[in-house]
Amino acid sequence: MPALTSLDTVANLKPIARDRLTLVESEYQSIQHLPVGQVGTVLEVYAGDQPSYLVEFADLEGREYAVAILKSDELLALHYELALAS
């Protein structure tokens, strides 16, 4: 997977355990994990041999409900346009 950058749109490929999440909205405090396929935005990139990413998850109205630090193998970059090889 190409390196992710700030503001990239991603989805989580694995459930994210509650103890790895910072939950923002009170209505989500009872969840045990963030299910696979939630869409988020990369807020920060932490460089290194194994880069990690601070990802914000928000609802359809743009209200942040969770953040987590995730590794590249836990994320899928989402694309809105088809990038054609030259």
Side-chain angles (χ1 to χ4, degrees), residues 12-46:
N12 60 310
L13 292 170
K14 302 174 182 178
I16 308 302
R18 169 70 175 91
D19 63 350
R20 295 183 60 205
L21 296 170
T22 300
L23 296 170
V24 179
E25 292 290 326
S26 59
E27 62 197 78
Y28 296 105
Q29 294 298 318
S30 64
I31 69 168
Q32 297 303 306
H33 66 276
L34 194 65
V36 171
Q38 297 305 119
V39 176
T41 302
V42 174
L43 297 182
E44 185 123 8
V45 177
Y46 304 113

